[in-house]
Amino acid sequence: MLSKSQISFIKSLHQKKYRKESGIFMIEGIKSITEFINSSYQIHSIYYTPAYFSQLPKNLANIKLFEVNNAELEKISTLQNPQGVLALVDMPAKQEVDMASLKGQFSLVLDDIQDPGNFGTIIRTADWFGIKNVICSENTVEAYNPKTVQSTMGSLCRVNVIYTPLDPFLASAKLPVFGALLDGQNIYQTSWGSEGLILLGNEGHGISQALLEKITIPVTIPRIGEAESLNVAVSAAIFCSEIKRG
């Protein structure tokens, strides 16, 4: 049975302020937890209902295990329908951009993405297409937001998510910058080469004015129908697919 202080601490991790203070974030669901256990991330503790114990991996040395009932799990979970198991994970040390490591490959660059579901889907998409780095403006939603973590479906443990001021980063990165714009060359006729940065803008305002001049190759996904805009996570998937295809 969990103590009141345990419940209070875990519930506090629903908020960014307390995740940042403690250096701990939450993941839920057996698939995601298994992925993190088998990664370089350090699992702090696991809270499981009896029905899910047999599904946990066997390599749980140095991880604190707590059996909980459904009512306790509902108190600490961020989900409307908890998935039977929840884990607390130590945040890794803040990463800095290693310019040399970006050479010879493509990376996604996100300018103030605000929706955690969109962000998580972009990370998952990057993982699917083998893109290792997602570089974010400092105002992009937090990678350890529970909705972001949930949306990545475990991919967060395989993709480097790095926060940095984008203006100086793009100015110093000696790589082509492909900007996702409404007015640019047709994505299906774009020559990608072997490396570059794919710059995607905010859901409502697009790429910020200060970064537009850093774009070397503006690219657009041609609109065939009447929709006003395209979801940024969908745009990211189309860009990733075209890069790998071409």
Side-chain angles (χ1 to χ4, degrees):
M1 188 168 179
L2 296 181
S3 67
K4 287 184 179 179
S5 62
Q6 282 178 302
I7 292 172
S8 177
F9 173 69
I10 298 169
K11 288 179 72 172
S12 77
L13 299 178
H14 296 192
Q15 300 178 52
K16 180 179 179 179
K17 172 185 175 182
Y18 297 107
R19 291 192 294 271
K20 189 173 180 180
E21 282 182 6
S22 64
I24 294 173
F25 68 100
M26 300 170 56
I27 52 176
E28 300 192 54
I30 194 68
K31 179 187 180 298
S32 291
I33 289 172
T34 300
E35 301 244 19
F36 274 88
I37 287 171
N38 293 324
S39 75
S40 60
Y41 278 77
Q42 298 299 309
I43 309 298
H44 180 275
S45 51
I46 295 175
Y47 303 80
Y48 63 91
T49 54
Y52 282 83
F53 180 72
S54 63
Q55 297 183 43
L56 291 172
K58 304 306 177 189
N59 51 327
L60 301 177
N62 302 319
I63 299 175
K64 299 174 184 176
L65 301 177
F66 298 92
E67 183 177 307
V68 298
N69 57 41
N70 289 330
E72 289 175 316
L73 190 63
E74 286 176 3
K75 287 181 182 178
I76 61 176
S77 174
T78 63
L79 302 176
Q80 199 163 18
N81 298 300
Q83 298 183 9
V85 58
L86 177 154
L88 304 187
V89 185
D90 292 335
M91 292 181 186
K94 185 178 186 298
Q95 292 190 70
E96 301 296 332
V97 179
D98 177 6
M99 292 296 189
S101 72
L102 303 182
K103 299 288 289 181
Q105 61 180 303
F106 288 90
S107 302
L108 297 182
V109 180
L110 307 182
D111 181 21
D112 293 3
I113 301 301
Q114 294 301 297
D115 183 86
N118 280 340
F119 189 27
T121 301
I122 290 170
I123 293 170
R124 187 178 176 188
T125 299
D127 186 26
W128 177 268
F129 286 101
I131 291 175
K132 297 300 182 185
N133 298 296
V134 177
I135 299 159
C136 308
S137 67
E138 293 177 308
N139 290 326
T140 291
V141 66
E142 179 205 13
Y144 303 113
N145 178 296
K147 290 181 180 178
T148 301
V149 176
Q150 200 68 25
S151 297
T152 73
M153 294 293 290
S155 289
L156 180 59
C157 68
R158 287 183 294 271
V159 175
N160 299 319
V161 179
I162 306 166
Y163 290 81
T164 192
L166 292 188
D167 201 326
F169 163 68
L170 292 174
S172 60
K174 294 179 173 57
L175 291 167
V177 179
F178 298 87
L181 298 172
L182 290 175
D183 183 18
Q185 66 184 54
N186 190 321
I187 190 171
Y188 305 117
Q189 297 168 0
T190 296
S191 298
W192 301 101
S194 61
E195 60 185 7
L197 304 172
I198 309 302
L199 177 60
L200 299 157
N202 171 273
E203 293 92 339
H205 306 292
I207 296 170
S208 58
Q209 194 67 36
L211 300 183
L212 289 176
E213 64 184 39
K214 304 296 191 301
I215 295 171
T216 52
I217 305 170
V219 179
T220 190
I221 300 168
R223 179 173 63 176
I224 309 302
E226 299 299 324
E228 182 182 349
S229 62
L230 197 60
N231 176 277
V232 66
V234 174
S235 296
I238 294 171
F239 270 84
C240 290
S241 179
E242 283 301 302
I243 289 164
K244 296 301 180 181
R245 189 174 74 91

